[in-house]
Amino acid sequence: MQSKNKLIGVSILSLVIGVLIGWLIWHGVSSSQSDHMTTHVMPDGTVMNQDGSMAMQMDAMTNGLAGKIGDEFDRAFLTEMIAHHEGAVAMANLVLKNSKRPEMIAFAHRIIDAQSGEIIQMKEWLAQWYR
């Protein structure tokens, strides 16, 4: 059973890393098209710039999962993903405030709707499983 849990944990971690790498690649392409540096303030007050510190923050989140399995992994994963999703929602709200493109506004609404629902679900799991 422990082996199966470890395999599931490794699979989830691999999926998360793959998603993050894809996001970082896309983010790197889009930020290279900008002539100025943009600063993002995360919900926890962390300031991240497009100069690579966001990538370092993402690495820190992923590295924080290393070596964890079972409940310890699940709790850490949920905690990190809540912060990650809250950051995505905050960034999407910036799109609503600053963009004039209907495609971007629709995309931001989809991000806010999907990730806000996932934040609620993850917080419920944390409350149920780790009181």
Side-chain angles (χ1 to χ4, degrees):
M1 187 62 151
Q2 180 102 6
S3 175
K4 184 177 179 182
N5 286 342
K6 190 172 188 174
L7 180 60
I8 291 170
V10 170
S11 297
I12 291 171
L13 183 58
S14 297
L15 175 65
V16 170
I17 290 170
V19 169
L20 292 175
I21 289 172
W23 180 86
L24 290 171
I25 290 169
W26 175 84
H27 182 73
V29 169
S30 66
S31 66
S32 68
Q33 298 168 355
S34 174
D35 292 336
H36 64 282
M37 186 184 317
T38 303
T39 300
H40 303 286
V41 179
M42 301 303 289
D44 66 357
T46 305
V47 176
M48 295 188 292
N49 299 313
Q50 287 182 343
D51 65 354
S53 56
M54 185 175 280
M56 291 186 320
Q57 186 75 11
M58 298 302 286
D59 286 345
M61 285 185 201
T62 304
N63 291 338
L65 300 174
K68 293 180 171 82
I69 60 171
D71 284 346
E72 182 184 20
F73 175 87
D74 293 345
R75 177 184 268 171
F77 175 82
L78 290 170
T79 300
E80 296 292 350
M81 285 303 291
I82 289 168
H84 175 72
H85 280 37
E86 287 172 341
V89 169
M91 290 174 68
N93 278 312
L94 290 174
V95 171
L96 298 180
K97 180 179 175 185
N98 297 298
S99 181
K100 303 296 183 225
R101 294 183 182 272
E103 301 90 350
M104 292 291 291
I105 293 168
F107 183 55
H109 280 295
R110 288 194 308 270
I111 290 169
I112 292 166
D113 291 345
Q115 297 207 7
S116 293
E118 291 172 1
I119 290 167
I120 291 167
Q121 177 66 74
M122 291 184 288
K123 286 182 176 181
E124 287 174 359
W125 284 338
L126 280 174
Q128 290 171 7
W129 300 338
Y130 307 108
R131 295 178 203 204

